[in-house]
Amino acid sequence: MIIRKKIWPRTLSDFFSMTFILTIVPIIYWFELWVVLPAIYEYGSLSYILHFFFGNFIMLNIVGNFTYIVFCDTSTRRDIMPISAANTKNGWRLCALCETLAPPRSWHCSICNICILKRDHHCIFTGCCIGHFNHRYFIMFLLYLFIATTYSFCYNNLFIWNRIHFEFPISLIKIIFPIAIFIFGFDGSINQFYLILYIVSAVGMLYTGVLWIYHICLVFKGNVANENNKEIHIYDLGWKQNIKEVLGDRWYLTWILPYIKSQLPHNGVIWDTSNSWFYTNSKWK
């Protein structure tokens, strides 16, 4: 993996969004494993141990995938550009901002100030673009965030409602509109802080769930977000090969840990199209 030279967020929105993720994830991790879990299961019991290890497994995947997203250079700075093979008929073009040739499926990011190989989008929560070489980690990052928030939400329901006295309609307003907590005030205990974390896990579950479904659908179609509006999907190679294009040849193992090596079938510059792929495979049958 080639490391990005500049990993710090370039805009205020990126900075605050990334800071939020780097703050709320450890807090939720602490809350679930050191507050909620001991309140539901007896310390040292088999259920406690299993849930404790599963929680740490989820956290390891979140941190690992986030790290790979941020540090992986997926731009055209990578030294893999076969300029001699550049042809406008194949999608090559001149990027006036980078002042260099840009390969097919690459787009310029005004925030990162560079062309990104198979650019999907610029993610404000990681402060960088999602492209060919970190797409896998972004998909898994979303997946494990969704698993974590869903897991948290389910157990928080058992925990929170045994501690908080529900008063209609003020409690309902606080749940629907978290900022109302600062209007009506805290009830003098830590329960209001727990309620905020409960709301965060619920919102996070819905947000990451929708995002993951959207992006995994793009993966199945062989598209990235920048190509989703095109009527003709020339890079659709069938659902299984489309998955390999993002997760690599060991796609069935990549969900376990981000540290498992899985070679991508392309270098981010030269691509198979639907016509060339199906012609080559049918020829060898």
Side-chain angles (χ1 to χ4, degrees):
M1 181 180 73
I2 299 178
I3 306 297
R4 287 175 62 215
K5 295 180 179 179
K6 298 179 180 179
I7 62 173
W8 300 112
R10 295 169 178 261
T11 64
L12 281 178
S13 60
D14 282 9
F15 174 78
F16 286 118
S17 299
M18 194 172 176
T19 301
F20 172 76
I21 288 294
L22 293 176
T23 303
I24 197 62
V25 169
I27 291 176
I28 294 291
Y29 170 73
W30 161 81
F31 175 59
E32 301 302 334
L33 292 190
W34 274 269
V35 178
V36 176
L37 186 60
I40 297 177
Y41 296 107
E42 182 181 355
Y43 179 81
S45 65
L46 179 60
S47 296
Y48 177 91
I49 294 173
L50 290 176
H51 285 288
F52 184 82
F53 277 102
F54 184 61
N56 279 283
F57 170 74
I58 293 174
M59 187 64 175
L60 178 63
N61 273 279
I62 291 174
V63 173
N65 283 297
F66 179 87
T67 303
Y68 273 109
I69 292 172
V70 172
F71 281 91
C72 180
D73 186 355
T74 188
S75 71
T76 53
R77 290 191 185 97
R78 300 173 66 101
D79 200 14
I80 56 172
M81 305 287 291
I83 302 299
S84 60
N87 190 325
T88 56
K89 294 181 179 179
N90 296 328
W92 287 79
R93 66 190 186 282
L94 175 65
C95 178
L97 297 173
C98 292
E99 296 183 347
T100 185
L101 289 174
R105 310 189 79 183
S106 66
W107 286 272
H108 188 89
C109 176
S110 58
I111 299 175
C112 297
N113 196 31
I114 191 70
C115 284
I116 305 298
L117 298 171
K118 203 185 77 170
R119 182 178 183 268
D120 187 83
H121 70 288
H122 183 89
C123 179
I124 61 174
F125 294 105
T126 59
C128 64
C129 274
I130 307 302
H132 180 58
F133 289 99
N134 63 359
H135 199 177
R136 160 196 170 179
Y137 306 110
F138 175 74
I139 292 294
M140 292 302 166
F141 177 64
L142 281 182
L143 174 62
Y144 275 97
L145 277 180
F146 175 63
I147 293 174
T149 50
T150 303
Y151 191 52
S152 300
F153 177 73
C154 293
Y155 277 94
N156 289 348
N157 279 311
L158 300 175
F159 172 81
I160 202 75
W161 299 118
N162 290 328
R163 299 176 60 94
I164 295 180
H165 178 63
F166 191 86
E167 296 180 1
F168 185 86
I170 294 178
S171 295
L172 182 62
I173 294 174
K174 288 181 179 181
I175 294 172
I176 299 176
F177 304 103
I179 198 173
I181 291 175
F182 300 99
I183 298 175
F184 291 101
F186 290 83
D187 64 359
S189 69
I190 200 172
N191 288 338
Q192 290 295 340
F193 177 64
Y194 292 163
L195 180 60
I196 292 176
L197 296 182
Y198 168 77
I199 295 169
V200 169
S201 67
V203 173
M205 176 183 64
L206 296 174
Y207 183 71
T208 56
V210 171
L211 274 183
W212 188 78
I213 291 173
Y214 170 75
H215 283 283
I216 200 65
C217 286
L218 289 177
V219 171
F220 272 95
K221 293 190 295 183
N223 287 348
V224 292
N226 279 320
E227 300 166 341
N228 196 36
N229 294 326
K230 294 182 179 179
E231 296 181 1
I232 301 176
H233 307 302
I234 63 172
Y235 299 110
D236 185 359
L237 309 180
W239 69 269
K240 188 173 182 179
Q241 185 61 31
N242 290 340
I243 292 176
K244 290 182 179 181
E245 296 286 318
V246 175
L247 303 184
D249 56 355
R250 305 176 75 187
W251 58 274
Y252 47 87
L253 295 177
T254 52
W255 65 272
I256 300 176
L257 283 173
Y259 312 107
I260 295 176
K261 291 185 178 180
S262 184
Q263 184 66 39
L264 293 171
H266 292 96
N267 61 359
V269 176
I270 300 175
W271 301 96
D272 287 315
T273 62
S274 302
N275 292 335
S276 64
W277 173 259
F278 290 114
Y279 174 77
T280 302
N281 283 269
S282 61
K283 182 179 178 181
W284 291 102
K285 287 184 179 180

